[in-house]
Amino acid sequence: MSIEKNGIAISPGFSVGNALLINQAKTVVEKRKIKTNEIVMEVNRFQAAVEESKNEISKMKQNKNNEYKIEHIEILDFNILILEDEILAGEVVDTITKKQINAEWALNKVLTNKSKEFAFVKDLYMQERLADFYYIAERITKNLRGLNENLFEIKSNTILVAHDLSPIDALKYCRNGNVNGIVTDLGGTTSHTAIIARSLGIPTIMSLLNISTSIEPGQRIYVDGYKGRVKWKVNKSEKDELNTLQTKYTSFQKNLFEFSKLSGETKDKKIISIKANIEISSEVKMAQKYGAEGIGMYRTEFLFTSKEQFPSLDEQYEDYKELFKENLFNEVTIRTLDIGGDKIQDYSHLENNPALGLRGIRYSLVNIDIFKTQLNAIFKVIESEKKKIRILLPMISNIDEIDKSLFIIDEVRKNYSIDSNLLSVGVVIETPSAVLLVEEISKKVNFISVGTNDLIQYTLAADRTNETLENIISHYQPSVVRMLNLISDKVPANTYISICGEMANDINCLPLFIAMGVRELSMNYYSIPRIKSAIHDLSFNDCVDTVKHCLNLTSHEEIKNELSQLIRNKMKGYDSIMDYQV
Amino acid sequence: MKKKIRISNRLGLHARASSKLVRLANNFKSDVNISKGELAINAKSILGILSLAASLGVEIEIETKGDDEEFAMREVISLFDSKFGEES
């Protein structure tokens, strides 16, 4: 009988492979002789790993989220003392130097000797302290591995199975392209590792509870990243079933890639530019593969929060330059920093309600140096790459913020020689206040981008992370549809409207956007082929009629029915595609 | 300088007491060594102290050698006398 577990589908796709269990407690000891001229490097590597281990434990100690008891703190202190111990470190360094062997092996030798010494100690309590040494040695070995990445070889068709996978580890393991699936006990859609998995196009499922303790190393596992389902220990008939499913997925994927080549054009030749939202710059490759015609929004938060310090001008410059790598795109949109007090470490003043707090442009206008550094990096890229960048300002709620931002942008821009058609500035319309001011806003900037996720939450006054509000948080809510209608009614003719957020990749919402006359939709790259295929089957007139009707409806179910009815009637291959909605 | 004492705390030189001793010993310029019978160890090393496995009632000899040896001796003895804060 097969075993099946369901979790959260993080990154779509279907894959079969052998489990590589990342279990920090069971590290394998690599053995390697080193040359005389490698000794210094090997000693340095060992010392760096010890240092890193010490930092990790110190951090655990300082982590305020863990309410450690005094005993726990003492254990951590004890571990730090072992790491600081000159006898231990000294003996390992000695062994590396004299025996000319790698640090992992040397550490293992010293540890074996120590455990022999301790074997004479009859005190049971002292015997148990040996466990601490092993624990410390594991930690050092893990860090040694991180510091010598050449040692790690991942075989093809590997499925990573882990309790929790750090973004850094995810990148490290997936680098050689042999990992074709990731399943973890913890984690959710918005975790950094999820973002990376999607950017690499690796089928991923998270929140599988105790998957890492249920699967044996080398186990053959089936990962369905569309449905968030993992299966293993399958029998013959189930295997056949899964293989059939895989064939189905493969042909579906093939179709998708056919669709990805389409342009976003309706039956009656209205053109909508289909672009990708990305969260790390290296996602441009996947975006292009799935048929994005540009980057509609690069969220820069990951860049800012993945390290302890905000990135410098140069670091940002290098990152933004990545976006134009291999000339995949000629134009990208960079949204300036959209974080609030809740996401900033060491922020002494905790806000009661960060979603309504100092975030987005509000934060940038208070922390002008951070804002200017980001602008400098953007201009530097435009100047050196001669490519077009659209700057997108988040969380605008009044005209004053736009004036101030434009003033700062102009000021910084003076230091660069930039062709005027290589730069445009837009505003994210995501507050009801911005909707009411959209006419004036549109006159001040080059384009507007409707940020549907936040606009929905602010319109309905409902936190979108609050699961108990799931029935309220719906983009089919009459107030949301009317909000969108208000925007298209009030903007001056020929205003360039883009839509970003979850709503943009819901096929059912396409009629709304087509009827509104939007020029651009920006979404997760993997939704692009599906949306393109749907656009091709719709016509402007059909959409206008349906939306007119929707504007008179008063419940979100009715609106959803009305919209999906149109899609169902018009779209070829509707059934096969809706199966894989992710 | 050298001084003999008997371990008087119930748990002996276990992890917590050893940690305290190592931290204290590392504050001094002087070498701090402890011996039990034939075995002599460096009190600035947690591994050393643990390998001593000194439990309640065992006699040990403390040796401090260096610029601040008197001060070091006084402090180390006082830590042993306080029973490493165990009973409090």
Coordinates of all heavy atoms in Angstrom, one line a residue, chain A residues 362 395-399 401 429-441 455 458-459 483 490:
Chain A
R362 N 6.0 55.4 2.2 CA 6.0 56.1 3.4 C 7.4 55.9 4.1 O 8.0 56.8 4.7 CB 4.9 55.6 4.4 CG 3.5 55.8 3.8 CD 2.5 55.0 4.6 NE 1.2 55.1 3.9 CZ 0.1 54.6 4.4 NH1 0.1 53.9 5.6 NH2 -1.1 54.7 3.8
M395 N 2.4 51.8 -2.3 CA 1.7 52.4 -1.1 C 1.4 53.9 -1.2 O 1.4 54.5 -0.1 CB 2.4 52.0 0.2 CG 2.0 50.8 0.9 SD 0.2 50.6 1.1 CE 0.0 51.4 2.7
I396 N 1.2 54.4 -2.3 CA 0.9 55.8 -2.4 C -0.6 56.0 -2.0 O -1.5 55.3 -2.4 CB 1.0 56.3 -3.9 CG1 2.5 56.2 -4.4 CG2 0.4 57.7 -4.1 CD1 3.4 57.3 -3.9
S397 N -0.8 57.0 -1.1 CA -2.1 57.3 -0.7 C -2.5 58.7 -0.8 O -3.7 59.1 -0.6 CB -2.4 56.8 0.8 OG -1.5 57.5 1.6
N398 N -1.5 59.6 -1.2 CA -1.9 61.0 -1.5 C -0.9 61.6 -2.5 O 0.1 61.0 -2.8 CB -1.9 61.8 -0.2 CG -0.6 61.8 0.5 OD1 0.4 62.3 -0.1 ND2 -0.5 61.2 1.6
I399 N -1.3 62.7 -3.1 CA -0.6 63.3 -4.2 C 0.8 63.9 -3.7 O 1.8 63.8 -4.4 CB -1.4 64.5 -4.8 CG1 -2.7 64.0 -5.3 CG2 -0.6 65.2 -5.9 CD1 -2.7 63.2 -6.5
E401 N 2.8 62.6 -1.6 CA 3.8 61.6 -1.7 C 4.4 61.4 -3.1 O 5.6 61.2 -3.2 CB 3.2 60.2 -1.2 CG 3.0 60.1 0.3 CD 2.1 58.9 0.7 OE1 1.3 58.4 -0.2 OE2 2.1 58.5 1.8
I429 N -1.4 51.4 -7.6 CA -2.7 51.8 -7.1 C -3.2 50.7 -6.2 O -3.6 49.6 -6.7 CB -3.8 52.1 -8.2 CG1 -3.2 53.1 -9.2 CG2 -5.1 52.5 -7.6 CD1 -3.0 54.5 -8.6
E430 N -3.0 50.8 -4.9 CA -3.3 49.7 -4.0 C -4.1 50.2 -2.7 O -4.4 49.4 -1.9 CB -2.1 48.9 -3.6 CG -1.0 49.7 -3.0 CD 0.3 49.0 -2.9 OE1 0.3 47.7 -2.7 OE2 1.4 49.6 -3.0
T431 N -4.3 51.5 -2.6 CA -5.1 52.0 -1.5 C -6.4 52.6 -2.1 O -6.4 53.2 -3.2 CB -4.4 53.1 -0.7 OG1 -4.2 54.2 -1.6 CG2 -3.1 52.6 -0.2
P432 N -7.5 52.5 -1.4 CA -8.8 53.1 -1.9 C -8.6 54.6 -2.2 O -9.1 55.1 -3.1 CB -9.8 52.8 -0.8 CG -9.3 51.5 -0.2 CD -7.8 51.7 -0.2
S433 N -7.7 55.2 -1.4 CA -7.5 56.6 -1.5 C -6.8 56.9 -2.9 O -7.2 57.9 -3.5 CB -6.5 57.0 -0.4 OG -6.1 58.3 -0.6
A434 N -5.9 56.0 -3.3 CA -5.3 56.2 -4.6 C -6.3 56.0 -5.7 O -6.2 56.7 -6.8 CB -4.1 55.3 -4.8
V435 N -7.3 55.1 -5.5 CA -8.3 54.9 -6.5 C -9.1 56.2 -6.7 O -9.4 56.7 -7.8 CB -9.2 53.8 -6.2 CG1 -10.4 53.6 -7.1 CG2 -8.4 52.5 -6.1
L436 N -9.5 56.8 -5.6 CA -10.3 58.1 -5.6 C -9.5 59.2 -6.3 O -10.1 60.1 -6.8 CB -10.8 58.5 -4.2 CG -11.7 57.4 -3.6 CD1 -12.0 57.8 -2.1 CD2 -13.0 57.3 -4.4
L437 N -8.2 59.1 -6.2 CA -7.3 60.2 -6.8 C -6.7 59.8 -8.1 O -5.8 60.5 -8.6 CB -6.2 60.6 -5.8 CG -6.6 61.1 -4.4 CD1 -5.4 61.1 -3.4 CD2 -7.2 62.5 -4.5
V438 N -7.2 58.7 -8.7 CA -6.5 58.1 -9.8 C -6.3 59.1 -11.0 O -5.4 59.0 -11.7 CB -7.1 56.7 -10.2 CG1 -8.4 56.9 -11.0 CG2 -6.1 55.9 -10.9
E439 N -7.3 59.9 -11.2 CA -7.2 60.9 -12.3 C -6.0 61.8 -12.2 O -5.2 61.9 -13.1 CB -8.5 61.7 -12.4 CG -8.6 62.5 -13.6 CD -9.9 63.4 -13.6 OE1 -10.8 63.2 -12.8 OE2 -10.0 64.3 -14.5
E440 N -5.9 62.4 -11.0 CA -4.8 63.3 -10.8 C -3.4 62.5 -10.8 O -2.4 63.0 -11.3 CB -4.9 64.0 -9.4 CG -6.1 65.0 -9.4 CD -7.4 64.4 -9.1 OE1 -7.6 63.2 -9.1 OE2 -8.4 65.2 -8.9
I441 N -3.4 61.3 -10.2 CA -2.2 60.6 -10.1 C -1.7 60.2 -11.5 O -0.6 60.4 -11.8 CB -2.5 59.2 -9.3 CG1 -2.6 59.6 -7.8 CG2 -1.3 58.3 -9.5 CD1 -3.0 58.4 -6.9
L455 N -5.1 46.2 -2.7 CA -6.3 46.9 -2.9 C -7.5 46.2 -2.4 O -8.4 46.7 -1.8 CB -6.5 47.2 -4.4 CG -7.7 48.1 -4.7 CD1 -7.6 49.4 -4.0 CD2 -7.8 48.4 -6.2
Y458 N -7.5 46.3 1.5 CA -7.8 47.6 2.1 C -9.3 48.0 1.7 O -9.9 48.7 2.5 CB -6.9 48.7 1.5 CG -5.5 48.6 2.0 CD1 -4.4 48.7 1.2 CD2 -5.2 48.3 3.4 CE1 -3.1 48.5 1.6 CE2 -3.9 48.1 3.8 CZ -2.8 48.2 2.9 OH -1.5 48.0 3.3
T459 N -9.8 47.5 0.6 CA -11.2 47.8 0.2 C -12.1 47.1 1.2 O -13.1 47.7 1.6 CB -11.4 47.4 -1.2 OG1 -10.6 48.1 -2.1 CG2 -12.9 47.6 -1.6
M483 N -14.5 48.8 -7.7 CA -13.3 49.6 -7.5 C -12.5 49.7 -8.8 O -12.0 50.7 -9.2 CB -12.5 48.9 -6.4 CG -11.6 49.6 -5.5 SD -12.1 51.2 -4.9 CE -12.1 51.0 -3.2
K490 N -12.3 56.7 -14.3 CA -11.7 58.0 -14.0 C -10.4 58.4 -14.6 O -10.1 59.5 -14.7 CB -11.6 58.1 -12.4 CG -12.9 58.1 -11.7 CD -12.8 58.3 -10.3 CE -12.6 59.8 -10.0 NZ -12.5 60.1 -8.5

